[in-house]
């Protein structure tokens, strides 16, 4: 297995992503960081720690989004906070890896029932195999891989 980023490089990417998020959202009072499943939520927590270490006036709120990536229609997509609390807010959907875009696409499904102020996507690794209309706004690392290659984030 090929190691692409070490711990120090990942921390540096997270710091750069946090600064980029603040620069693009300087006018937001509150931003919801919504991590997808375990890996996305873990990455969102690391981003939250970094964001909170930087000087700014924005309040960041962490929540989770739960769905089955292999069968996104098999069960309801759940967000860990009430939808009405997300209405009118800036929301950043966070995952560890964006591959085809399908998981991120379905993670947005509950948000179709409200009107967010702004909706963005942040990932640690973006692969160039989108088959869904997903634009990633914040990317730690872009990789051109074959469809058969897997990315394992630990």
């Amino acid at each position: 297995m090929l190691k692409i980023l070490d711990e120090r490089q990942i921390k540096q990417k997270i710091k750069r992503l946090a600064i980029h998020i603040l620069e693009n959202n300087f006018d937001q009072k509150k931003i919801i960081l919504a991590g997808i499943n375990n890996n996305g939520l873990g990455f969102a927590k690391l981003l939250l720690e970094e964001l909170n270490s930087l000087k700014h006036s924005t309040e960041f709120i962490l929540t989770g989004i739960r769905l089955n990536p292999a069968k996104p229609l098999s069960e309801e997509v759940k967000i860990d906070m009430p939808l009405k609390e997300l209405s009118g807010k800036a929301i950043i959907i966070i995952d560890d890896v964006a591959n085809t875009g399908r998981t991120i696409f379905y993670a947005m499904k509950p948000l179709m029932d409200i009107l967010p102020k702004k909706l963005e996507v942040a990932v640690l690794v973006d692969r160039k195999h989108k088959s869904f209309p997903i634009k990633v706004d914040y990317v730690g690392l872009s990789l051109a891989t074959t469809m058969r290659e897997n990315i394992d984030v630990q």
Side-chain angles (χ1 to χ4, degrees):
M1 183 177 3
L2 176 67
K3 188 174 191 174
I4 298 168
L5 296 172
D6 63 25
E7 186 178 351
R8 182 191 60 77
Q9 291 168 312
I10 291 171
K11 285 180 179 174
Q12 195 170 354
K13 299 275 184 205
I14 290 169
K15 185 179 194 91
R16 190 179 56 75
L17 287 171
I19 292 167
H20 192 189
I21 287 169
L22 285 172
E23 286 174 347
N24 285 4
N25 292 283
F26 66 92
D27 56 339
Q28 302 298 324
K29 297 199 181 342
K30 261 188 199 171
I31 297 175
I32 311 294
L33 302 178
I36 300 174
N37 293 337
N38 296 336
N39 285 358
L41 190 58
F43 180 44
K45 287 176 183 173
L46 294 173
L47 258 176
L48 178 64
E49 282 176 29
E50 188 60 43
L51 286 161
N52 285 336
S53 76
L54 301 169
K55 290 194 184 331
H56 59 82
S57 60
T58 305
E59 178 187 359
F60 288 92
I61 300 164
L62 184 67
T63 192
I65 300 176
R66 307 270 166 223
L67 73 146
N68 180 340
K71 297 179 182 171
L73 297 176
S74 66
E75 52 202 68
E76 183 185 358
V77 178
K78 293 188 174 82
I79 297 183
D80 295 343
M81 65 189 290
L83 273 180
K84 67 177 191 264
E85 290 181 31
L86 299 172
S87 190
K89 301 283 187 317
I91 303 167
I92 301 176
I93 306 284
I94 299 172
D95 207 358
D96 58 344
V97 178
N99 189 14
T100 64
R102 183 171 85 169
T103 301
I104 295 167
F105 180 82
Y106 281 99
M108 293 180 183
K109 190 174 179 189
L111 301 175
M112 301 297 167
D113 294 333
I114 62 163
L115 189 59
K117 182 175 186 180
K118 183 178 192 179
L119 187 58
E120 296 179 313
V121 175
V123 297
L124 181 58
V125 179
D126 186 24
R127 297 177 69 187
K128 301 297 181 185
H129 301 298
K130 302 290 174 291
S131 33
F132 285 79
I134 295 299
K135 173 177 90 53
V136 179
D137 303 282
Y138 307 103
V139 178
L141 179 68
S142 287
L143 283 181
T145 59
T146 68
M147 287 298 283
R148 292 183 183 185
E149 291 175 298
N150 288 317
I151 303 284
D152 182 24
V153 176
Q154 297 177 2

